[in-house]
Amino acid sequence: KAGVTQTPRYLIKTRGQQVTLSCSPISGHRSVSWYQQTPGQGLQFLFEYFSETQRNKGNFPGRFSGRQFSNSRSEMNVSTLELGDSALYLCASSLSAGGPADTQYFGPGTRLTVL
Amino acid sequence: GQNIDQPTEMTATEGAIVQINCTYQTSGFNGLFWYQQHAGEAPTFLSYNVLDGLEEKGRFSSFLSRSKGYSYLLLKELQMKDSASYLCAVTGANNLFFGTGTRLTVIP
């Protein structure tokens, strides 16, 4: 069974631009969560989608948004990029509707650099 | 709010045993995860504890005390490939919260 895939793997943008990252979960997984990982802050939860609905949301500004499609694939968008948005963005999928207690399987991440 | 504490770095010798501690404060606790993350790679699932006690899985064991807000990950017969960051994560308030991780270096 294929794992979680994320595209692109690397991205360089400039301040003020916007970016869209994509995540395809493991086949059969319906929950997709997004995390931001930086050296100082560790892994921070952005949001979780289940059945095309945002079920949970972390403490990030409204510039960070996401959506999930009927095939469970998910995208996240960051508008008006800031230097501090440079990070590894990780997507994780889980099997069912159990929320955060379900084991999450992570994709390889998208390394975003904002110049 | 949520607060998770882990040591930042640890060093241990190949073949030895190492214990990585995690203390937490969270509302709505459901369970605690341990993940392993090698440099430049995604985190991979190691264990999940929801009840008090020790869960053993091969060379890795994880312990949870809900009343003390405390967990540890025990790695036995350390191998060089165990050099990685170990992330403690707790469920609370319908979210999953990660600690900043413990970077373990295994030396010969």
Side-chain angles (χ1 to χ4, degrees):
Chain A
K1 188 184 274 191
V4 178
T5 58
Q6 292 186 245
T7 56
R9 293 293 311 278
Y10 302 92
L11 205 50
I12 299 176
K13 292 283 188 179
T14 56
R15 278 182 299 174
Q17 288 187 307
Q18 67 98 27
V19 67
T20 299
L21 312 181
S22 181
C23 170
S24 292
I26 291 171
S27 178
H29 285 196
R30 297 170 62 191
S31 170
V32 173
S33 297
W34 288 90
Y35 296 87
Q36 181 195 67
Q37 187 173 34
T38 57
Q41 297 292 323
L43 265 168
Q44 291 189 287
F45 174 76
L46 280 155
F47 27 65
E48 183 220 358
Y49 285 88
F50 179 81
S51 292
E52 303 178 63
T53 301
Q54 187 183 86
R55 187 163 58 179
N56 296 298
K57 190 177 188 304
N59 295 323
F60 277 80
R63 299 185 297 108
F64 292 81
S65 63
R67 60 178 175 168
Q68 187 180 34
F69 302 96
S70 58
N71 62 358
S72 294
R73 189 177 70 85
S74 177
E75 289 181 347
M76 69 162 280
N77 184 276
V78 188
S79 62
T80 320
L81 283 166
E82 301 176 0
L83 294 179
D85 297 333
S86 294
L88 179 68
Y89 289 87
L90 289 161
C91 162
S93 75
S94 61
L95 185 61
S96 65
D102 277 350
T103 300
Q104 298 189 6
Y105 298 88
F106 285 83
T110 294
R111 173 76 61 186
L112 172 65
T113 302
V114 182
L115 302 176
Chain B
Q2 286 74 31
N3 190 45
I4 302 170
D5 284 318
Q6 304 178 236
T8 304
E9 295 191 17
M10 298 182 71
T11 301
T13 306
E14 190 176 14
I17 299 173
V18 71
Q19 178 174 313
I20 302 174
N21 296 324
C22 171
T23 58
Y24 63 89
Q25 292 174 308
T26 185
S27 56
F29 178 83
N30 285 322
L32 186 145
F33 289 89
W34 284 96
Y35 280 83
Q36 179 191 60
Q37 187 176 25
H38 285 99
E41 298 182 13
T44 55
F45 170 78
L46 287 178
S47 66
Y48 176 56
N49 292 70
V50 62
L51 300 175
D52 285 358
L54 188 68
E55 296 270 349
E56 297 187 76
K57 193 184 294 185
R59 294 190 299 115
F60 292 8
S61 303
S62 56
F63 172 83
L64 175 67
S65 169
R66 295 174 65 128
S67 61
K68 295 182 180 177
Y70 168 69
S71 173
Y72 67 74
L73 181 69
L74 193 71
L75 291 76
K76 304 175 188 174
E77 301 169 16
L78 279 173
Q79 301 175 8
M80 299 299 291
K81 67 178 182 179
D82 297 330
S83 291
S85 288
Y86 291 86
L87 310 175
C88 169
V90 299
T91 58
N94 247 4
N95 289 336
L96 186 62
F97 297 93
F98 282 83
T100 53
T102 299
R103 185 181 301 175
L104 173 66
T105 302
V106 180
I107 57 177

